[in-house]
Amino acid sequence: MSDMPSIELKNIFLNIDGNQIFKNFSLKFSSKGISVVLGANGSGKTLLTKIIKGMIKIDKGKVLIKLKKEIGYAPQKVIFLRRNIFENIAFPLRVKGIDNSEIKKKVNLLLKNFNIFKKEKLSARCLSAGNAQFISFVRSVVNDPQILILDEACSNLDDTHRKKVESYLKQNRKTKKIIMITHDFLQAKRLADEVIIIGEGRLLEKYNKQKFLKNEKNIIKKFFS
């Protein structure tokens, strides 16, 4: 259990352009499995992921992260280099200075596992929204991260690609800490080991899977209201 990562935010304060996004916000994620974060638009979900990833500096508080590997991240807004799919997936490995032969081996394995071998030479910037989101997800796992953060990573996916993503998450939930931002309540029900609901920068509710399923109707009513 000591090898599992831990993520805790303690008394976080964040103000952006005069707007208080988080005020004395605290949250400790479960050490393994899939934590699904639900909340209305503007509740702070995306900013929460960026704080954990270290992309945003908080005004006050502590972000305590313990891990042996690194954090994989698939943002809501996909950004690609002006290169083909292979090179975009390979980019995180090149940044780390991985040997070319090892890069080819790792990327080709992902291309095979996610059935996108024939698309490797296509321009990443010419992909549809759904395909771009799928490739962004594949890129997020190329380093075999110990913590994986997905911000609406399935919102534009068709059923085939969504099932591939969900299959990967189910297979890796015991060895990785996965944090998912989603508006899809049914996806949360399918995948979540832990459900976290935030609103206006505050932690509203936190459920384990058993409690979540037991209180499903009340949660849906509260969530959609």
Side-chain angles (χ1 to χ4, degrees):
M1 197 69 171
S2 59
D3 289 337
M4 292 302 296
S6 63
I7 307 169
E8 184 175 6
L9 288 78
K10 299 183 73 173
N11 309 114
I12 296 297
F13 287 79
L14 177 65
N15 187 295
I16 298 179
D17 297 329
N19 295 316
Q20 190 76 56
I21 309 300
F22 292 107
K23 182 178 181 180
N24 204 29
F25 179 88
S26 295
L27 171 62
K28 185 174 183 179
F29 289 90
S30 60
S31 60
K32 64 179 180 179
I34 302 173
S35 294
V36 173
V37 181
L38 298 171
N41 289 333
S43 60
K45 301 187 302 299
T46 291
L47 289 173
L48 180 66
T49 66
K50 290 182 177 181
I51 289 172
I52 297 170
K53 185 69 172 70
M55 298 168 64
I56 290 180
K57 185 178 180 181
I58 58 175
D59 299 320
K60 187 179 177 182
K62 293 183 180 180
V63 180
L64 306 174
I65 299 177
K66 175 187 173 184
L67 75 164
K68 288 191 173 182
K69 291 185 180 180
E70 56 192 270
I71 298 175
Y73 181 59
Q76 186 174 10
K77 184 178 180 181
V78 179
I79 299 175
F80 286 132
L81 303 171
R82 294 183 183 277
R83 300 174 191 173
N84 62 29
I85 288 175
F86 182 98
E87 286 301 325
N88 271 278
I89 294 174
F91 184 71
L93 300 175
R94 297 202 186 282
V95 169
K96 291 181 66 176
I98 304 295
D99 179 79
N100 280 334
S101 61
E102 185 67 15
I103 288 175
K104 187 174 182 179
K105 178 181 177 182
K106 287 188 175 184
V107 176
N108 281 340
L109 180 61
L110 283 180
L111 293 172
K112 180 180 179 181
N113 288 345
F114 287 101
N115 195 27
I116 47 177
F117 237 125
K118 296 179 181 180
K119 298 180 179 180
E120 62 178 314
K121 293 184 179 180
L122 295 177
S123 170
R125 290 195 170 189
C126 293
L127 297 173
S128 66
N131 284 330
Q133 198 168 54
F134 185 65
I135 297 303
S136 176
F137 169 78
V138 175
R139 180 174 59 183
S140 74
V141 302
V142 69
N143 273 322
D144 188 26
Q146 194 177 27
I147 296 173
L148 179 60
I149 302 174
L150 308 175
D151 188 0
E152 297 286 0
C154 297
S155 60
N156 292 310
L157 301 186
D158 59 23
D159 282 346
T160 299
H161 288 107
R162 177 187 54 75
K163 287 177 181 178
K164 288 179 182 178
V165 170
E166 291 188 3
S167 176
Y168 175 92
L169 300 180
K170 289 175 182 177
Q171 290 171 19
N172 288 274
R173 72 196 316 159
K174 292 183 178 180
T175 56
K176 299 182 187 297
K177 178 61 206 170
I178 300 165
I179 299 173
M180 289 187 70
I181 306 296
T182 183
H183 281 94
D184 188 339
F185 199 88
L186 292 177
Q187 185 177 58
K189 185 177 176 180
R190 287 194 300 271
L191 297 177
D193 297 299
E194 174 180 66
V195 174
I196 294 160
I197 302 177
I198 66 173
E200 297 180 347
R202 295 182 299 115
L203 175 63
L204 301 180
E205 303 284 353
K206 183 179 177 184
Y207 303 93
N208 60 31
K209 188 176 186 70
Q210 185 178 11
K211 188 176 179 182
F212 174 62
L213 294 177
K214 185 178 179 180
N215 295 278
E216 179 186 345
K217 291 183 179 179
N218 290 332
I219 296 170
I220 290 175
K221 185 178 179 180
K222 185 183 297 184
F223 179 64
F224 286 105
S225 65

